[in-house]
Amino acid sequence: MQRICVIGGSRYFGKLLVRHLKAAGHQVTVINRGSTVPPAGVEHLVADRNDEAALTAALGSRTFDVVVDQVCYTPVQAAIAARAFAGRARRYVMTSTIEVYDPATAALPVVPAGTPVPEDIVDPATWPVAMDLPWHDDAYLEAHYAEGKRQAEAVFTRAGGFEFAGVRSAHVLGGGAQEFTGRMAYYAGRISRGEEITVHAEALPTVFIHHEELAELLLWVTTADFTGPVNACSDGPLDVYGLATIIATQVGREAVYRTVPAGEEASAFSFDRHYAMSNARAKQLGFPFSRTVDWLPGAVVEALTTESSATP
């Protein structure tokens, strides 16, 4: 049994992770702002992670084997957490994102299309950190989501005082109404209604992960001993056309496309630039991934069922 603290953990795969940790026999503490109460048997601390004094007061004298941070988006938040948990945790795990590799958001080494992107393309040990940017501004943060995650990883990597691992998640799907981005529901709904979806003529593949698989991977990371970033994605990249074909098969209709030139905005999973991740490191460390094409049809059905139940 380990003492594990989850920051966030109130929705989607974070909520599932908390249940998995409890079922595995761990002593679990959840920290959030109080809007969602965790399951019975899970300790609940109410604090705003942006308020260092309040966070430190809520922690009291508690110590943890592992902290899993589900809601860190900026280097400022990372610095607050690093100070608050210094001497309190042996291991710190941050949920990061595939978006750290998006070449449209930073000057990154070029990875040829078709070559899965490895972790060392973005090295948090050397990534520059700028605390004085307007990270408190919601509009700025939304526009600089990828950079916020890169810099947060960098802060934790250099903090010392605990082992650090960053889980760079692929696009998360599945769970029906739980999938708060609504992207699967968008595609499933439009294709089932015969409405067009906007795509690039030469759309490049990306990678996905099922929300249950991501929760299982995070559970695995709490007991692993590696440090540094690790990519989390199911086997088998898909471009937007492959995704739409699987959805169309489930709904019994053909997908209707409207193509736009490279550089113009298209629907969520149509990419005119390459940053599909490699999951080789996680596999070498011992995590067995599923295949995207095996779970995606079920995720489509969940999305359609959710949309149907929500329609008056």
Side-chain angles (χ1 to χ4, degrees):
M1 180 189 76
Q2 295 195 98
R3 297 183 304 278
I4 299 180
C5 175
V6 179
I7 305 177
S10 61
R11 60 177 182 170
Y12 207 24
F13 59 86
K15 192 174 182 179
L16 185 57
L17 170 63
V18 170
R19 293 204 298 266
H20 284 346
L21 290 168
K22 185 72 171 58
H26 298 300
Q27 181 180 318
V28 185
T29 297
V30 166
I31 299 176
N32 60 33
R33 288 179 294 185
S35 58
T36 304
V37 177
V42 173
E43 183 183 34
H44 187 200
L45 301 181
V46 177
D48 183 345
R49 64 153 320 131
N50 298 302
D51 184 334
E52 185 169 352
L55 178 59
T56 302
L59 290 171
S61 60
R62 293 172 180 81
T63 60
F64 304 96
D65 295 296
V66 185
V67 176
V68 183
D69 194 339
Q70 295 282 82
V71 289
C72 187
Y73 301 106
T74 76
V76 175
Q77 291 178 327
I80 289 171
R83 290 191 295 267
F85 286 95
R88 296 180 186 272
R90 173 186 57 82
R91 181 169 175 77
Y92 202 104
V93 178
M94 173 190 154
T95 303
S96 191
T97 173
I98 185 177
E99 300 304 329
V100 302
Y101 300 118
D102 185 351
T105 64
L108 300 172
V110 175
V111 179
T115 301
V117 178
E119 287 84 356
D120 59 8
I121 292 300
V122 175
D123 181 2
T126 60
W127 197 264
V129 173
M131 293 289 193
D132 57 348
L133 296 174
W135 296 114
H136 61 281
D137 181 85
D138 289 343
Y140 181 88
L141 180 55
E142 182 177 359
H144 297 82
Y145 170 71
E147 182 60 18
K149 286 289 192 178
R150 284 187 286 257
Q151 293 195 26
E153 286 188 38
V155 169
F156 283 127
T157 298
R158 300 169 200 172
F162 44 65
E163 301 171 358
F164 174 67
V167 176
R168 294 172 177 170
S169 170
H171 305 291
V172 188
L173 296 177
Q178 297 181 61
E179 189 212 322
F180 57 86
T181 67
R183 290 175 176 177
M184 176 62 84
Y186 170 85
Y187 277 100
R190 292 190 73 84
I191 293 173
S192 66
R193 294 188 298 268
E195 298 170 359
E196 66 182 20
I197 53 175
T198 307
V199 297
H200 297 102
E202 297 182 7
L204 294 171
T206 189
V207 286
F208 301 92
I209 191 167
H210 193 271
H211 72 115
E212 293 179 352
E213 185 164 41
L214 182 53
E216 290 166 1
L217 183 139
L218 288 166
L219 174 65
W220 167 73
V221 173
T222 63
T223 58
D225 59 4
F226 71 88
T227 59
V230 64
N231 294 336
C233 59
S234 302
D235 287 337
L238 280 176
D239 63 22
V240 68
Y241 296 101
L243 174 71
T245 296
I246 291 174
I247 295 171
T249 298
Q250 292 298 308
V251 303
R253 300 194 67 157
E254 290 189 10
V256 180
Y257 303 108
R258 180 172 68 85
T259 58
V260 297
E264 290 193 13
E265 187 173 351
S267 54
F269 296 133
S270 183
F271 294 98
D272 58 356
R273 57 202 184 277
H274 168 63
Y275 58 107
M277 299 187 301
S278 165
N279 62 12
R281 184 177 191 228
K283 284 184 172 180
Q284 291 167 358
L285 289 166
F287 189 83
F289 287 99
S290 66
R291 297 194 311 158
T292 302
V293 294
D294 289 339
W295 58 257
L296 190 54
V300 175
V301 172
E302 289 177 339
L304 290 168
T305 302
T306 300
E307 183 180 65
S308 175
S309 64
T311 301

